[in-house]
Amino acid sequence: MRLAHRFAMENDLIRADCIESTEFPELAGKYRVYAVPKTVINEAAAFEGALPEGYFLDGILSALGPGSGAEAVS
Amino acid sequence: MGLLGEEEILEVRERLKEMPNPVKLIHFTQELNLEYGRETRLLLEELAALSDTLSLEVYNFLLDVEKVAEYGIDKIPATVVRNDKDYGIRFFGLPAGYEFSTLLDAILAVSKGDSGLAPETREKLRNIAEPLHLEVFVTPT
């Protein structure tokens, strides 16, 4: 979670929500949250687990896909 | 009896001394029919009282429609951590247990205005050219 918030600080286009699953069961159900932490990207893609910085970033960038502008840097 | 224990208060006060610049917690809630609404507000009030550099603003989710729209709040309890700038950092629900330390971490990072991320991570993030919404689901521990 800390990483997501820190990521948001680097780009105005990024918003990072920390969501307490038990208080928002409908949303957790919609995204099939069975294990935490689970990160949902643009209401579509998702991955589970607390990943180190580089892997967390890669997980997000691959969900954004080609043409996002993010691919150009690697 | 507060939500934070005596030892915790001392620890948190010590950590908040590291804050170089003011940080605002913008909280959205409602009085009734909100399971952890009261606890969340109390926790934030106790926290904000521990540092002169940390302040708390509380808005009503149903009545303060302009603020709700400004911060893009669609569920409560919700808490924004910001300085002069809104970085897009949000907490939904009671930030207890491990998430309390996540909240402290966000407060300190925002106070410093520095994400603390590796240079290559920052570069890649800055190159993202489309809106990116990260929703990280957690549970209290």
Side-chain angles (χ1 to χ4, degrees), chain B residues 98-116:
Chain B
Y98 185 73
E99 296 320 317
F100 184 67
S101 112
T102 304
L103 174 60
L104 290 181
D105 187 79
I107 290 169
L108 288 168
V110 167
S111 181
K112 290 169 186 161
D114 184 352
S115 69

Side-chain angles (χ1 to χ4, degrees), chain A residues 2 6 10 20 42-43 53, chain B residues 92 101 115 121 133 138 140:
Chain A
R2 291 162 194 236
R6 286 165 179 257
E10 295 297 337
E20 186 54 68
N42 285 347
E43 289 88 40
E53 188 174 312
Chain B
F92 293 96
S101 112
S115 69
T121 305
H133 186 198
V138 298

Side-chain angles (χ1 to χ4, degrees), chain B residues 17-137:
Chain B
K17 279 185 186 160
E18 296 168 30
M19 290 174 65
N21 300 301
V23 170
K24 265 198 269 189
L25 301 176
I26 315 280
H27 184 54
F28 293 87
T29 189
Q30 67 188 29
E31 296 292 322
L32 301 170
N33 300 323
L34 189 59
E35 196 178 0
Y36 292 102
R38 192 173 157 274
E39 284 88 344
T40 307
R41 181 176 176 159
L42 279 176
L43 180 67
L44 296 175
E45 284 173 351
E46 287 181 26
L47 177 60
L50 298 180
S51 169
D52 293 338
T53 11
L54 187 60
S55 60
L56 172 67
E57 285 175 24
V58 179
Y59 293 101
N60 184 299
F61 181 60
L62 298 174
L63 302 177
D64 296 313
V65 287
E66 275 182 27
K67 288 288 178 186
V68 166
E70 178 186 342
Y71 288 101
I73 302 302
D74 61 351
K75 53 192 168 290
I76 50 168
T79 309
V80 177
V81 181
R82 63 166 298 171
N83 53 20
D84 293 341
K85 182 176 166 168
D86 176 12
Y87 291 104
I89 297 176
R90 308 281 186 272
F91 285 83
F92 293 96
L94 174 66
Y98 185 73
E99 296 320 317
F100 184 67
S101 112
T102 304
L103 174 60
L104 290 181
D105 187 79
I107 290 169
L108 288 168
V110 167
S111 181
K112 290 169 186 161
D114 184 352
S115 69
L117 295 167
E120 58 270 26
T121 305
R122 294 181 200 232
E123 192 186 344
K124 288 183 184 177
L125 289 170
R126 284 174 192 167
N127 278 292
I128 293 174
E130 62 186 284
L132 170 59
H133 186 198
L134 299 174
E135 291 168 285
V136 183
F137 289 86

